[in-house]
Amino acid sequence: MTIPIEQLLNLPNIRVLKVEISEREIRCDLESTLGYAICYRCGRKATKFFEHGETLMLRHLPICERKVMLYLHTRRYRCLNCEDRPTTTERGDWYDAQANCTKAFADFLLRQLVNSTLQDVADKHQVTYGCVRGLLTRQVSGEVDWREFSHLRQIGLDEISLLKGHKDFVTIVSTRNEQGEAAILAVLDGRKKETVVTFLESIPQTLRATIEEVCSDLYDGFINAAQEVLPQARVVGDRFHIAKLYRAALDDLRKSEMKELRKVLSKEELSGLKGVLWALRRKSEDLTTEEQQVLDLLFECSPSLRRAYALREKLTGIFDTRQPKEAAQAQLLNWIKEVERSGLDCFWKFINTLKERMDIITNYFVRRSNSGWIEGLNNKIKVIKRRCYGLSNTLNLFRRIWLDLNGKEAFAS
Ligand SMILES: [Zn+2]
């Protein structure tokens, strides 16, 4: 049984004229069986054969690891509808003449680009860097397509710095679907309130009305932008960000306490405190026996760390507890009093934030919306940043995030 090569190539409206198979490459000469071109002037079918046009060299999907090169001999047709009888070259919708490859191969490259780099894909599949970059720019929009969404419900506002240690911030606007998966809505230059306002206002009115919650860190610019453009939505302080703030307070106290302890403790005593950093960062119920021992020793040397640790755990406990917003507020006010009585000053800054943003912080208790998707997306972006070093263009960053999230599905074979 012989399988016609057309069947293997799986392309519409083509006839194979010649096949040459070498050890590494399969070369096919083809022509289209369509028999017309679309007149570039009137948009109707131009059916009168005029002449043979250029031969397009198109890369196609490999067959048994052999590179497949197609040589498409195009034809030009004359339009009989237009008075001056213009001629147009035929076009198939199965190839991307600009990228010199078939759409199937283009989709294949874009799938390969998910979680990878332009250079890596170019190297592995023997195409130029420019070819892969061109595909990405043409096939993946740098901006959201609102038609992909029927409702938004929850959106997230977050900031990340593009270069480590730099003040080069971009704002990431995201949402999540019913499956809890994150989707990217925008990468905005900077983190100014005005920029966020402009973007939020660009969301189609009907879609904007579906936003019920805005998850944000406690940055004024984000909160004010959300309250201004989305008055119907509840602004919720992202629990992860809040935890980061009060956990940092304990970290600072650890640093200063350890500095003091290093002055007074012997080398031997100090060696018993190895691993305090990780032990302190863990939740008390997750501690191993060794970590608990380290902490016991540490707390013996530093009663203030013991108090601060207990207060931190208590605070996490409040957030972990399902309770009405008002009850949570009462608990948080109690917690503040407890901190004040403790004589500790490491939580002062956090307490100021807590008092100032009590409403937004405790909005979390209304629906206990999990903001894990924002954190998950953040981690994805961190990986992209590391992988695609020097990615500073917001459009391209959007493309890469979008591709990593949607590429496998969008460019499925
Ligand atoms: Zn015409």
Side-chain angles (χ1 to χ4, degrees):
M1 184 187 79
T2 51
I3 298 169
I5 184 86
E6 277 93 348
Q7 211 174 322
L8 272 180
L9 295 176
N10 195 19
L11 297 167
N13 310 314
I14 54 129
R15 180 186 302 124
V16 175
L17 305 170
K18 197 170 82 183
V19 184
E20 279 169 46
I21 301 179
S22 68
E23 206 167 308
R24 295 174 160 262
E25 195 176 303
I26 299 175
R27 175 192 163 126
C28 298
D29 282 71
L30 349 148
E31 62 180 11
S32 164
T33 56
L34 218 49
Y36 63 84
I38 297 297
C39 172
Y40 74 89
R41 190 159 306 157
C42 69
R44 284 184 278 183
K45 281 182 184 175
T47 49
K48 178 116 181 78
F49 175 73
F50 171 60
E51 62 177 3
H52 285 284
E54 55 176 344
T55 298
L56 298 176
M57 198 167 78
L58 305 167
R59 184 80 182 273
H60 190 36
L61 293 169
I63 297 177
C64 295
E65 298 231 4
R66 283 190 174 101
K67 189 173 166 181
V68 173
M69 292 302 304
L70 308 178
Y71 291 79
L72 177 66
H73 301 278
T74 63
R75 290 193 182 113
R76 298 179 65 76
Y77 290 90
R78 198 183 274 294
C79 178
L80 300 178
N81 299 303
C82 290
E83 238 170 65
D84 58 342
R85 307 280 190 256
T87 61
T88 309
T89 305
E90 63 183 357
R91 263 297 172 97
D93 55 9
W94 51 271
Y95 57 85
D96 182 337
Q98 245 178 309
N100 290 107
C101 68
T102 62
K103 291 261 169 75
F105 188 65
D107 285 356
F108 166 76
L109 288 181
L110 288 165
R111 282 199 308 274
Q112 301 303 310
L113 195 55
V114 173
N115 299 328
S116 185
T117 65
L118 295 170
Q119 193 62 58
D120 188 49
V121 173
D123 290 347
K124 277 185 185 150
H125 303 286
Q126 298 162 51
V127 289
T128 62
Y129 178 88
C131 164
V132 195
R133 191 184 50 194
L135 279 177
L136 177 69
T137 351
R138 287 196 305 278
Q139 306 273 335
V140 178
S141 168
E143 281 174 8
V144 66
D145 179 356
W146 291 118
R147 288 169 304 182
E148 286 172 23
F149 301 90
S150 59
H151 56 257
L152 292 171
R153 284 205 186 108
Q154 216 183 359
I155 64 166
L157 296 172
D158 200 5
E159 64 201 6
I160 57 161
S161 70
L162 283 184
L163 293 167
K164 211 179 165 160
H166 259 244
K167 303 239 179 301
D168 251 348
F169 283 104
V170 292
T171 301
I172 305 288
V173 190
S174 58
T175 187
R176 68 164 174 175
N177 61 21
E178 263 144 85
Q179 287 77 47
E181 294 155 348
I184 181 83
L185 297 179
V187 179
L188 307 173
D189 232 327
R191 51 169 182 171
K192 284 209 179 84
K193 180 196 155 195
E194 295 74 45
T195 318
V196 180
V197 164
T198 308
F199 173 75
L200 293 177
E201 282 173 343
S202 78
I203 302 174
Q205 188 72 56
T206 45
L207 211 48
R208 219 192 302 164
T210 65
I211 303 174
E212 295 163 15
E213 243 181 35
V214 180
C215 242
S216 162
D217 60 17
L218 299 174
Y219 171 57
D220 287 344
F222 289 167
I223 293 173
N224 295 339
Q227 286 175 336
E228 193 176 310
V229 187
L230 308 165
Q232 85 283 4
R234 182 169 49 243
V235 180
V236 182
D238 174 38
R239 190 186 154 172
F240 173 79
H241 275 101
I242 294 158
K244 225 167 154 178
L245 295 178
Y246 67 75
R247 294 177 69 83
L250 186 78
D251 250 3
D252 287 345
L253 180 65
R254 171 191 56 84
K255 279 181 212 157
S256 60
E257 285 290 288
M258 284 304 289
K259 205 172 159 190
E260 292 305 311
L261 289 176
R262 273 190 206 99
K263 286 181 199 160
V264 294
L265 294 182
S266 69
K267 248 192 184 159
E268 210 189 330
E269 286 169 314
L270 276 172
S271 72
L273 292 180
K274 260 191 191 139
V276 285
L277 189 147
W278 295 107
L280 272 178
R281 283 185 185 177
R282 251 179 223 268
K283 276 186 163 194
S284 46
E285 67 251 38
D286 297 338
L287 288 170
T288 63
T289 328
E290 292 80 26
E291 284 167 337
Q292 187 61 59
Q293 280 166 354
V294 172
L295 283 193
D296 288 344
L297 192 64
L298 175 70
F299 292 157
E300 239 169 81
C301 307
S302 166
S304 46
L305 263 175
R306 184 199 297 274
R307 279 197 297 274
Y309 181 78
L311 283 163
R312 187 197 75 185
E313 290 301 276
K314 189 161 193 182
L315 192 52
T316 304
I318 297 174
F319 281 99
D320 280 343
T321 308
R322 232 166 245 286
Q323 53 187 327
K325 180 176 169 180
E326 294 69 29
Q329 284 189 353
Q331 287 212 19
L332 288 171
L333 291 173
N334 269 335
W335 181 84
I336 293 175
K337 275 188 201 139
E338 228 177 296
V339 175
E340 282 164 354
R341 274 198 304 270
S342 75
L344 289 169
D345 52 13
C346 63
F347 291 112
W348 279 6
K349 204 170 143 208
F350 174 73
I351 286 176
N352 282 338
T353 311
L354 186 56
K355 282 178 177 165
E356 202 179 321
R357 290 299 188 187
M358 184 60 94
D359 188 53
I360 281 168
I361 291 173
T362 50
N363 267 345
Y364 166 71
F365 292 90
V366 177
R367 223 203 263 160
R368 303 185 63 81
S369 299
N370 184 318
S371 58
W373 51 289
I374 298 182
E375 191 46 20
L377 186 63
N378 236 326
N379 288 334
K380 241 182 202 307
I381 296 171
K382 269 185 211 152
V383 175
I384 294 176
K385 268 164 51 190
R386 262 200 302 270
R387 206 174 67 210
C388 312
Y389 182 76
L391 191 63
S392 59
N393 176 314
T394 51
L395 295 181
N396 283 337
L397 182 56
F398 179 91
R399 286 189 173 98
R400 298 312 308 256
I401 300 169
W402 189 92
L403 188 75
D404 276 8
L405 293 173
N406 307 291
K408 273 184 198 146
E409 231 170 78
F411 301 107
S413 50

